[in-house]
Amino acid sequence: MKDNDSLIVVECLKKHYLNGKVKALDGIDTEIKKGEVVVIIGPSGSGKSTFLRSLNLLEEPTDGKILFEGTDITDPKTNINLHRQKMGMVFQHFNLFPHMTILKNMTIAPKKLLRKSEKEAKKKAMSLLKTVGLEDRANDYPSQLSGGQKQRVAIVRALCMEPDVMLFDEPTSALDPEMVGEVLEVMKNLAKDGMTMITVTHEMGFAREVATRVLFMDEGKIVEQGTPSQIFDYPQSERLKDFLSKVL
Amino acid sequence: MFDDFYSQFKLNFIDENRWVSLLKGLGTTLEITFLALILGLVIGIVIAAIRSTYDKNQSSLKKKGGFGYVVMRILNFICNLYLTIIRGTPVVVQLMIAYFIIFANAKDGTLVAVFAFGLNSGAYVAEIFRGGIMSVDNGQFEAGRSLGFNYPQTMIHIIIPQAFKTVLPTLCNEFIVLIKETSVAGYVGVMDLTKAGDIIRGRTFSAFMPLIAVALIYLLLVIILSSLVKRLERRLRKNER
């Protein structure tokens, strides 16, 4: 571990397809400290989702190292399942379990993996549901919820495991425009409470308002990074200027 | 005319208590079907687990290499070989091979029939289950893994319950096919429903009554099973969509 408050250290991370012909990630180095809210932006195909998904090894990197809380999780001997419990993930398409009620969606992992009692897991789930205003939907099934509601449930489902970091993979991209706000609101509150967050998003407003650091990726590399003001107001590279001119 | 019908009925079913042999035949048919079904389910689930594990983890297994990868490759190869042979040959031939070659000394044809039909059904059940597992959205798998579930836990709690719902109608169809397929058990001297009807036909020299009766019994079995599964399906689906 480089210093005490670094949570994730990424060293020269590479992901290649087709024997190296396609380089989705081409040497990523970065360090994420506790309490940071990192937002990753970049054009589609730039590798930002691949990078995020590599952090909990949903995508297996071709080369490089990821240290999470001091442990090299890319080492085949590491039990990745234990570390994933500490890394909550929210997906673009929510991925709630359709055969379980909202409550069961939230309690199954704490019950099976953290050995929490039914009562304990339920109490935690209900208090989290309350924070996103969905406590009255606990016994409904995912199909009865709107997209925004599903995504709010997906966020609190991940929080039930009491993770040290939350990974958001384009959490608002599959939502109808009028539902984006409610999900971003939940994420803002989470950031305010001090959760370490890494978010891939196209919501530049969110990046500007909430991020402590913005990473701009292109062609599998981090091209530029800095505070929201540095990135949005004083972009340095031509590629970032070009990207911003298209999305802002 | 009615008198004629009655005397035929009496001749084929009541005289010499012929209905008893039909009933016994039905019992044997049910016994073979039920036991073969269980054997088939066990074989099918094991093979589907091996094949879908291999398919889903091929790249990471290959990367880790070593013993685990070799074992999985061998298991996968054996499964494929089994599926090819079973699905590529007629069930009657398999039954006769089991009875006259593999278990040449067997006295109880019924158990050999259970073995042969179970082995046969397993191949189809395996592919039905595998199809069901592969049809569940990969996002479900990723969501389970991201929470910290390992591969078997994700399968058991998240993927298989969803896959089961999808495969239920197809699985039911396979069982209906199995009931009817057991009608060739007579080839190895098993006194099942079909054979019992055929024997009555041989004794009474009248084909209509016994054969139609046998057909009606099969039909009734299939209708009952179908309606049971339909009810189960409706219950499973109640909470979704």
Side-chain angles (χ1 to χ4, degrees), chain A residues 1-246:
Chain A
M1 213 185 275
K2 281 186 182 164
D3 58 62
N4 275 335
D5 56 357
S6 84
L7 190 66
I8 301 175
V9 179
V10 180
E11 286 171 12
C12 201
L13 193 68
K14 287 180 185 168
K15 173 76 180 181
H16 294 175
Y17 293 104
L18 304 169
N19 290 326
K21 275 189 211 127
V22 180
K23 293 174 177 163
L25 296 179
D26 195 11
I28 304 265
D29 289 279
T30 191
E31 182 186 346
I32 288 147
K33 294 194 166 73
K34 271 179 203 149
E36 266 196 297
V37 178
V38 175
V39 173
I40 306 169
I41 58 172
S44 63
S46 60
K48 49 194 196 308
S49 270
T50 310
F51 172 55
L52 189 80
R53 290 159 51 81
S54 302
L55 291 177
N56 66 354
L57 297 196
L58 282 186
E59 211 69 69
E60 269 197 57
T62 316
D63 200 13
K65 256 188 189 177
I66 301 166
L67 300 179
F68 175 62
E69 299 181 327
T71 315
D72 180 6
I73 56 171
T74 51
D75 184 346
K77 289 187 203 90
T78 308
N79 183 355
I80 183 63
N81 301 312
L82 288 178
H83 297 284
R84 280 192 182 130
Q85 293 178 10
K86 292 275 143 209
M87 305 170 118
M89 186 152 194
V90 175
F91 300 86
Q92 182 178 353
H93 296 286
F94 332 127
N95 298 350
L96 295 178
F97 307 133
H99 59 301
M100 300 176 187
T101 61
I102 301 306
L103 193 62
K104 185 92 193 292
N105 259 281
M106 296 175 68
T107 55
I108 182 164
K111 269 174 16 191
K112 304 279 177 201
L113 298 172
L114 305 179
R115 303 264 157 234
K116 280 195 181 185
S117 69
E118 169 83 40
K119 206 176 146 192
E120 212 182 335
K122 207 170 151 180
K123 203 177 140 198
K124 172 96 187 164
M126 288 309 291
S127 78
L128 279 167
L129 270 181
K130 212 167 185 175
T131 63
V132 296
L134 290 170
E135 70 271 30
D136 53 335
R137 310 304 298 269
N139 293 315
D140 289 345
Y141 282 83
S143 57
Q144 295 164 280
L145 268 54
S146 72
Q149 290 171 330
K150 281 182 201 169
Q151 195 60 301
R152 281 186 277 159
V153 170
I155 293 172
V156 287
R157 175 177 72 179
L159 290 176
C160 277
M161 291 297 286
E162 297 170 10
D164 295 336
V165 58
M166 286 285 286
L167 313 174
F168 292 88
D169 188 4
E170 304 202 18
T172 57
S173 299
L175 295 175
D176 290 341
E178 78 267 25
M179 291 173 182
V180 170
E182 61 191 66
V183 171
L184 291 180
E185 198 54 41
V186 171
M187 291 170 63
K188 274 180 211 165
N189 288 335
L190 200 56
K192 231 181 276 170
D193 292 343
M195 175 61 77
T196 312
M197 290 164 59
I198 306 170
T199 306
V200 170
T201 187
H202 296 291
E203 297 291 327
M204 296 304 151
F206 175 81
R208 193 188 267 274
E209 191 184 337
V210 185
T212 56
R213 179 156 56 115
V214 179
L215 303 182
F216 172 66
M217 282 183 69
D218 194 21
E219 292 177 355
K221 291 192 176 92
I222 297 176
V223 178
E224 207 170 323
Q225 57 174 307
T227 63
S229 154
Q230 283 170 336
I231 293 290
F232 293 111
D233 300 333
Y234 306 102
Q236 301 296 313
S237 64
E238 281 309 311
R239 269 191 285 182
L240 177 54
K241 282 178 197 165
D242 183 48
F243 175 72
L244 290 175
S245 74
K246 282 176 187 151

Side-chain angles (χ1 to χ4, degrees), chain B residues 133-147:
Chain B
I133 287 169
M134 298 312 254
S135 78
V136 176
D137 176 28
N138 202 41
Q140 292 290 313
F141 190 77
E142 290 185 342
R145 296 305 300 268
S146 80
L147 285 167

